[in-house]
Amino acid sequence: MFDKPDAKDMKKSRFHSPSSYRVTRSTLGRFLLKAIPILLLVLAVERYIGQRFLIGGDDQVDRCLPDKWIYLIDTHNKDIWRGDLIAFRAERMAPFFKDGQIIVKIAAGVTGDTIHVDPQHTTINGERIIDGLPLTEKLKKPATRFNRHETIPPAAYWVTGQTDKSFDSRYWGYVYDHQVIGRAYALF
């Protein structure tokens, strides 16, 4: 059915025998001179990006930031302003979060802002931020226990979510600089 090609056809062919693909030392040396710097650059960029940025997801059913669930955290940017998303390590947030767990919330208040919390509303500098204290029953504490009127101390943030059921600073207080991982950006 198929005929064997003759010697003439083999010479015309674009394909060469395996022996013609011999790698010489000089060819390998030229390749390595180009490849090693590129490889080192790629590894350096990957290391920098891998150390600077974290990607995290919120798998909770009732999210405090309901429209977003994937975040990029810039660990080199800890310059947090009012309204920014802040990523921090949980402290004193039982029973909802374990110490050390990474949390993302809105930095609703910063050092020097005035906080007022009562059972109806939470205000910062007189502006209503979030309503009620719906988690007091779950925490088995009276709503009046969370009343406060104070100024945010140095190196601290008041954080909230966007839903009334957010477990946030209304219940456990401030996030301090030593807890901050970095500024967060909502991706999806």
Side-chain angles (χ1 to χ4, degrees):
M1 185 163 177
F2 293 102
D3 295 330
K4 263 185 151 179
D6 63 0
K8 277 190 210 175
D9 291 335
M10 289 298 286
K11 286 183 183 178
K12 293 178 187 176
S13 171
R14 291 186 298 158
F15 302 103
H16 303 283
S17 67
S19 62
S20 68
Y21 290 112
R22 228 177 291 211
V23 176
T24 63
R25 282 183 177 238
S26 64
T27 306
L28 181 59
R30 283 192 308 264
F31 170 76
L32 290 176
L33 280 174
K34 292 176 184 176
I36 289 175
I38 292 170
L39 177 63
L40 291 175
L41 178 65
V42 167
L43 290 174
V45 168
E46 187 277 331
R47 181 173 170 85
Y48 173 76
I49 289 172
Q51 286 181 345
R52 179 168 182 165
F53 296 102
L54 300 173
I55 294 180
D58 185 354
D59 60 355
Q60 298 178 96
V61 174
D62 292 323
R63 291 192 288 273
C64 70
L65 302 171
D67 297 337
K68 306 296 181 195
W69 57 280
I70 300 289
Y71 299 91
L72 176 72
I73 301 168
D74 183 350
T75 63
H76 288 198
N77 184 355
K78 295 184 181 181
D79 186 24
I80 308 296
W81 294 78
R82 188 181 304 108
D84 289 345
L85 290 178
I86 181 174
F88 59 94
R89 295 204 183 278
E91 285 184 6
R92 316 166 318 279
M93 295 175 67
F96 293 95
F97 303 108
K98 296 179 202 167
D99 281 356
Q101 185 173 345
I102 297 174
I103 309 293
V104 173
K105 301 250 184 220
I106 300 167
V110 296
T111 298
D113 287 347
T114 302
I115 303 298
H116 178 79
V117 178
D118 64 38
Q120 286 76 39
H121 310 290
T122 297
T123 62
I124 298 177
N125 298 329
E127 183 181 330
R128 194 160 92 192
I129 300 298
I130 200 160
D131 293 327
L133 292 164
L135 300 179
T136 56
E137 279 186 37
K138 196 167 193 174
L139 294 169
K140 298 180 177 141
K141 295 178 182 174
T144 55
R145 182 182 184 293
F146 300 100
N147 287 353
R148 59 173 67 196
H149 186 81
E150 58 196 40
T151 300
I152 298 176
Y157 303 89
W158 185 270
V159 299
T160 65
Q162 292 177 322
T163 64
D164 294 342
K165 290 185 178 180
S166 171
F167 186 58
D168 53 35
S169 289
R170 294 175 289 173
Y171 301 101
W172 41 263
Y174 304 110
V175 169
Y176 295 96
D177 274 351
H178 73 273
Q179 293 174 257
V180 175
I181 296 168
R183 188 168 177 189
Y185 302 89
L187 300 178
F188 304 104

